[in-house]
């Protein structure tokens, strides 16, 4: 069942909220040894929440379209009373005393947190292999990566051990694991969802979004989490006052007449697997058949997207992660004899390799003498990228592109080659640099039966348009309905 179907069944009393929660927790207990999607399961808390929501529903309260639905939360989103460690030894054992705004909103909407999902350490990565508790395995082929950094959330949905999940996307971390695992996700416009309680990686790029079995589930949950929070000023970059409201009526799926979609032709010229290319171009044809007009264009600045992103993301990461010093926050080494030893050893022992690499890169590009040459140039490039998108959206309603150049690769294949790993983000990072929304949707499989995804990118706050188009696509195709075998 999709999350919306599950909520409807609960409302009709076909099953109780406690049954819904127990079923999923049992399924996690049975299956998660194979995929390692969860870092924590909050059974007792979830069951007691379930009871409270059942009471409200029994009293006839119309809570929300997703009331009674269990949800999995990425391990970098603060959950009161449930360990939130960003899959890092640095935060191992940390149990927040407050909820992120998105969690407050989900709980008000009657949704129940059942556990935290595995990820790349501090959301830095594209494969979900660097978490302290080991790699997430792709449910379609357990020897392969699930994509990252929200790999646990995407894998949990693909395997059917959670009905819906939250992820975060700094440079592709919702969309890319969705593509690798064959599920649907939305990365909202920067400023549409409060980041209060999201443990920061790169604050000017981070955004929380939804991962689910289809676009309607993702959109329904985005309605719930979007909009600023009741206590003003907790995230001053969250600038929409009221939440999104989409038309998700099944009888109301229109066509795409009059919609203009831009296709960046240089995305398909080199560096992309031929099977990915074929499937993504077929998705464009499908949208054309639904009434959209497709026009090719040349994406400018392509050589600068990855460098600009990695300079900015690492610079912000080095600053954000400076708080983990063994004193104020996080893991403290037992071996430090002097103050500087405590700092050095705590950080050396508490962080993994990729996180350290990025802190070093970030500190370097921000250091005096290099700041102008790297960081300032990257910011100027970011402004050019934003300008380029502004021009494109004066011509097109949306842009269609691949999510990743390949399907899921073997675990261990890229961990020692950071540049190769970073190049896998070529189609996703510019969207974050420009603060735009994008929806990732499954569009086929390669010969090895591994899922392929594409993304629809829109102008700022054009989520409704993207969701309408995505609904048209999913009403005409069945890719999102495929499930991997082997899970109960
Ligand atoms: N793969 C990108 C990175 O490593 C994106 C990560 C993310 O979106 N959190 O930075």
């Amino acid at each position: 069942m999709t999350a919306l179907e599950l909520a409807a069944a609960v409302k009709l009393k076909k099953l109780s909220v406690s049954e819904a929660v127990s079923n999923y927790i049992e399924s996690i207990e049975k299956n998660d040894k194979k995929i390692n999607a969860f870092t924590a399961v909050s059974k007792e808390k979830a069951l007691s929440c379930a009871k409270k929501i059942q009471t409200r529903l029994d009293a006839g309260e119309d809570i929300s379209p997703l009331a009674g639905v269990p949800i999995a939360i990425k391990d970098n989103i603060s959950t009161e009373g449930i360990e939130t460690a960003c899959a890092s030894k640095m935060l191992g054992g940390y149990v927040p005393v407050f909820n992120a705004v998105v969690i407050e909103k989900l709980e008000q909407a009657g949704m129940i947190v059942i556990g935290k999902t595995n990820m790349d350490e501090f959301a830095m990565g594209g494969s979900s292999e660097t978490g302290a508790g080991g790699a997430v395995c792709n449910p379609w082929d357990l020897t392969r990566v699930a994509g990252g950094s929200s790999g646990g959330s995407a894998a949990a949905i693909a395997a059917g051990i959670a009905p819906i999940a939250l992820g975060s996307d700094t440079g592709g971390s919702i969309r890319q694991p969705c593509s690798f695992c064959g599920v649907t996700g939305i990365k909202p416009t920067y400023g549409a969802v409060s980041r209060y309680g999201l443990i920061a990686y790169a604050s000017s790029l981070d955004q929380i979004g939804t991962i689910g079995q289809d676009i309607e589930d993702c959109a329904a949950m985005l309605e719930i989490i979007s909009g600023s929070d009741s206590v003003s000023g907790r995230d001053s970059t969250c600038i929409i006052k009221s939440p999104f409201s989409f038309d998700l009526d099944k009888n109301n799926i229109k066509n795409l007449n009059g919609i203009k979609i831009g296709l960046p032709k240089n995305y398909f010229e080199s560096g992309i697997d031929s099977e990915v290319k074929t499937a993504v171009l077929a998705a464009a044809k499908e949208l054309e058949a639904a009434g959209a007009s497709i026009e090719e264009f040349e994406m400018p600045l392509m050589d600068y997207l990855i460098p600009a992103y990695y300079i900015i993301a690492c610079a912000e990461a080095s600053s954000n992660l400076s708080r983990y010093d063994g004193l104020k926050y996080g893991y403290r080494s037992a071996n430090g004899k002097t103050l500087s030893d405590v700092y050095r050893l705590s950080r050396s022992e508490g962080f993994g390799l990729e996180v350290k690499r990025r802190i070093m890169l970030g500190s370097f590009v921000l250091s005096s003498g290099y700041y102008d040459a790297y960081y300032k140039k990257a910011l100027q490039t970011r402004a050019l990228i934003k300008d380029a998108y502004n021009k494109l959206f004066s011509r097109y309603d949306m842009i269609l592109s691949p999510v990743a150049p390949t399907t899921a690769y073997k675990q261990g294949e890229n961990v020692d080659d950071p540049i190769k790993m970073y190049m896998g983000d070529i189609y996703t990072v510019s969207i974050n640099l420009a603060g735009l929304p994008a929806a990732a949707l499954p569009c086929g499989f390669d010969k090895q039966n591994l899922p392929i995804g594409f993304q629809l990118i829109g102008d700022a706050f054009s989520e409704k348009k993207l969701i309408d188009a995505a609904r048209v696509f999913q009403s005409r195709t069945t890719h999102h309905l495929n499930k991997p075998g082997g899970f109960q």
Side-chain angles (χ1 to χ4, degrees), residues 215-290:
I215 192 68
E216 281 160 17
D217 276 6
C218 291
M221 194 157 70
L222 181 56
E223 291 185 327
I224 293 170
I225 62 169
S226 58
S228 65
D229 57 272
S230 48
V231 184
S232 62
R234 289 199 291 186
D235 173 9
S236 54
T237 63
C238 181
I239 52 169
I240 56 167
K241 288 276 168 293
S242 41
F244 288 120
S245 167
F246 307 117
D247 176 6
L248 300 177
D249 183 348
K250 284 247 183 271
N251 305 317
N252 236 348
I253 297 179
K254 299 179 208 80
N255 55 41
L256 295 176
N257 291 346
I259 296 291
K260 283 180 85 176
I261 300 179
L263 196 67
K265 64 170 190 279
N266 44 338
Y267 278 14
F268 298 91
E269 276 159 12
S270 63
I272 182 169
D273 275 10
S274 66
E275 290 174 89
V276 174
K277 175 175 167 176
T278 309
V280 174
L281 292 176
K285 279 269 170 273
E286 189 63 50
L287 292 172
E288 196 170 30

Side-chain angles (χ1 to χ4, degrees), residues 146-167:
S149 61
S150 315
S153 289
I157 305 302
I161 61 174
I164 193 160
L166 282 188

Side-chain angles (χ1 to χ4, degrees), residues 353-380:
L353 265 184
E354 183 61 27
V355 172
K356 282 188 243 185
R357 177 169 16 245
R358 295 188 189 207
I359 291 174
M360 288 167 71
L361 259 168
S363 306
F364 175 78
V365 299
L366 289 175
S367 57
S368 74
Y370 295 101
Y371 182 97
D372 285 350
Y374 293 100
Y375 184 64
K376 198 169 153 206
K377 281 242 159 63
L379 290 183
Q380 289 165 336

Side-chain angles (χ1 to χ4, degrees), residues 74 123-126 148-149 168-173 201 309-310 313 358 425:
K74 189 176 179 179
M124 298 175 188
S149 61
S168 71
D169 194 311
T170 303
S173 278
Y201 158 18
Y309 168 79
Y310 274 94
R358 295 188 189 207
D425 300 334

Side-chain angles (χ1 to χ4, degrees), residues 1 3-21 50 53-54 57-58 66-70 110 112:
M1 272 194 264
L4 284 166
E5 285 165 356
L6 180 60
V10 165
K11 205 168 176 189
L12 292 173
K13 300 208 186 311
K14 289 190 182 148
L15 83 170
S16 70
V17 182
S18 302
E19 279 167 335
V21 168
I53 289 158
Q54 189 70 58
L57 287 170
D58 290 346
L66 287 174
V69 174
I112 299 131

